[in-house]
Amino acid sequence: MEKKITKIEPVRKQEQQNAPMMKRVCAYCRVSTASGEQKHSLEAQMRYYTKLIQEKEHWIWAGIYADEAQSGTKMTHREQFLQMIQDCKKEKIDLILTKSITRFARNTVDSISTIRMLKDMGVEVYFEKEKISTFSEKSEQLLTILSSIAQSEAENISANSKWAVQRRFQNGTYKISTPTYGYEKDENGELVIQSEEARVVRRIFEAYLSGKGCYTIAKELQAEGVPTIRNKGKWHEVVVQEILLNPVYEGNLIYQKTYSTSCLPFTRKRNHGTYPKYLITENHPPIITKEEAEAVRQIYEYRSQSAKNKASSLNRYVFSGR
């Protein structure tokens, strides 16, 4: 008996052959800074995609997702991007339009893993500049190469920016972006004393010099509802400790106390000797005297050493301190 083979086309393919399938289409836009030029670029992208989607006969408007002043090297803070992914999981989107791979992500791992996840959900991504659809056969190979190039560009930009910042560290022209507690910036970007916060700083130093510990000081400030820097967060022992040991309050600045890693994903780390630090003395008006700052450092060192000695003696024997 001769076998008969009948090919049964997938339902979705049959529908496509009979009539164009309606697609729920959205667009993703992103700019990395909040400058006027970038903001204009974002608005232009949004207008373009709104018109494009609404004019297509078989496309259903699924919205515009736009992140402003957000880097493409991380997905963590890109709220609109994450919302778009959530909407894809809820089967609200069939097709995502975006200007280019660099707008979608500059991190190769994030880019490829997200594209794979969307493909598994049946969601297509189309990159207009590169003219690549994630549903095409060779898309992953091309996207991996292009994503790697985008990541390399991001790392080169970061390295150039870091070099420029270090040059400003060396010649003393660097302007800090966010003043520490007790200070604000004047019209020239120089540090000036913020009177209300400065009173709290003096109180912290006076309390510590009078015998109180960091934990007690933090607890009192929290109980009284004293506002923290920019009214964010709470008073903790470590916050008081950082204020007491920060040379900024005696009129000095230390640059490069932290640094950003060279490779993606970029992360901030404490500089414990990886890079040089730069001390700028008499940079701005002090809140406390050098004598007070030195006395606090001596007391802090004495207490730290005493705590270490006490812990050492307590752990000398099995039942020590028990």
Side-chain angles (χ1 to χ4, degrees):
M1 180 181 283
E2 186 179 350
K3 294 181 180 179
K4 291 183 179 181
I5 299 172
T6 304
K7 183 180 179 181
I8 302 173
E9 296 287 356
V11 174
R12 189 167 182 172
K13 192 167 184 180
Q14 287 178 346
E15 290 175 354
Q16 289 176 340
Q17 289 174 350
N18 297 333
M21 191 177 75
M22 300 297 287
K23 286 186 178 181
R24 294 161 296 182
V25 183
C26 77
Y28 177 71
C29 310
R30 180 186 65 81
V31 291
S32 54
T33 69
S35 67
E37 184 179 345
Q38 291 265 288
K39 190 171 183 178
H40 178 73
S41 172
L42 183 65
E43 291 171 352
Q45 288 181 56
M46 293 170 69
R47 285 195 302 269
Y48 166 75
Y49 284 117
T50 300
K51 183 180 179 183
L52 177 66
I53 295 170
Q54 292 179 345
E55 284 181 348
K56 290 285 185 179
E57 185 179 352
H58 302 291
W59 283 4
I60 301 170
W61 168 261
I64 298 284
Y65 299 85
D67 284 310
E68 184 179 357
Q70 294 297 335
S71 169
T73 58
K74 290 182 181 179
M75 292 196 296
T76 315
H77 302 295
R78 293 161 66 188
E79 294 180 2
Q80 288 286 291
F81 185 87
L82 296 173
Q83 182 61 55
M84 180 179 69
I85 299 300
Q86 288 301 314
D87 288 344
C88 288
K89 291 178 179 178
K90 294 175 183 177
E91 300 182 352
K92 295 181 178 180
I93 299 167
D94 299 308
L95 171 63
I96 299 170
L97 304 177
T98 191
K99 183 179 177 182
S100 66
I101 291 169
T102 57
R103 297 300 92 196
F104 194 74
R106 281 189 177 272
N107 185 317
T108 306
V109 174
D110 286 348
S111 181
I112 298 303
S113 62
T114 304
I115 287 167
R116 285 176 179 170
M117 179 180 65
L118 291 170
K119 284 178 72 175
D120 288 341
M121 292 188 289
V123 179
E124 178 185 4
V125 183
Y126 184 74
F127 303 96
E128 284 208 303
K129 182 180 177 182
E130 294 83 6
K131 294 182 172 58
I132 297 175
S133 165
T134 54
F135 279 7
S136 62
E137 293 181 4
K138 295 182 180 180
S139 65
E140 182 153 334
Q141 184 180 4
L142 289 169
L143 289 169
T144 301
I145 295 169
L146 294 169
S147 296
S148 298
I149 293 171
Q151 177 171 322
S152 178
E153 288 176 354
E155 290 172 350
N156 288 336
I157 291 169
S158 175
N160 292 337
S161 299
K162 190 182 293 184
W163 179 86
V165 169
Q166 287 177 341
R167 290 288 294 173
R168 295 202 295 274
F169 284 163
Q170 292 169 8
N171 57 34
T173 59
Y174 180 79
K175 304 292 184 185
I176 60 173
S177 57
T178 307
T180 191
Y181 189 82
Y183 287 96
E184 58 187 357
K185 291 196 293 186
D186 63 13
E187 61 276 7
N188 298 317
E190 302 292 341
L191 290 180
V192 293
I193 293 174
Q194 207 276 1
S195 56
E196 292 183 10
E197 293 179 353
R199 281 196 291 271
V200 179
V201 171
R202 292 190 188 98
R203 173 184 170 178
I204 289 171
F205 275 85
E206 289 169 3
Y208 193 80
L209 290 170
S210 68
K212 291 182 179 180
C214 296
Y215 175 79
T216 303
I217 296 169
K219 191 175 180 181
E220 289 177 355
L221 293 171
Q222 187 63 34
E224 294 175 21
V226 176
T228 57
I229 185 166
R230 289 173 290 281
N231 294 320
K232 293 181 179 179
K234 297 181 179 180
W235 286 102
H236 293 289
E237 181 179 0
V238 67
V239 176
V240 173
Q241 177 185 315
E242 288 183 355
I243 287 176
L244 290 168
L245 300 179
N246 195 335
V248 72
Y249 298 113
E250 51 188 303
N252 303 332
L253 272 183
I254 293 182
Y255 291 144
Q256 204 156 242
K257 291 190 290 185
T258 62
Y259 67 94
S260 178
T261 55
S262 301
C263 299
L264 288 173
F266 298 129
T267 54
R268 297 297 300 177
K269 292 188 176 182
R270 288 276 185 178
N271 185 7
H272 296 297
T274 306
Y275 294 98
K277 296 179 183 178
Y278 302 89
L279 173 65
I280 313 296
T281 57
E282 299 181 3
N283 179 76
H284 51 271
I287 292 176
I288 58 161
T289 65
K290 287 180 171 58
E291 292 75 20
E292 287 173 318
E294 181 59 31
V296 163
R297 284 192 287 268
Q298 290 179 4
I299 294 171
Y300 183 83
E301 182 62 31
Y302 172 78
R303 290 180 178 177
S304 299
Q305 194 60 45
S306 298
K308 287 179 184 177
N309 293 337
K310 185 177 180 181
S312 177
S313 63
L314 284 173
N315 296 324
R316 188 172 298 169
Y317 304 106
V318 176
F319 293 101
S320 293
R322 296 178 185 273

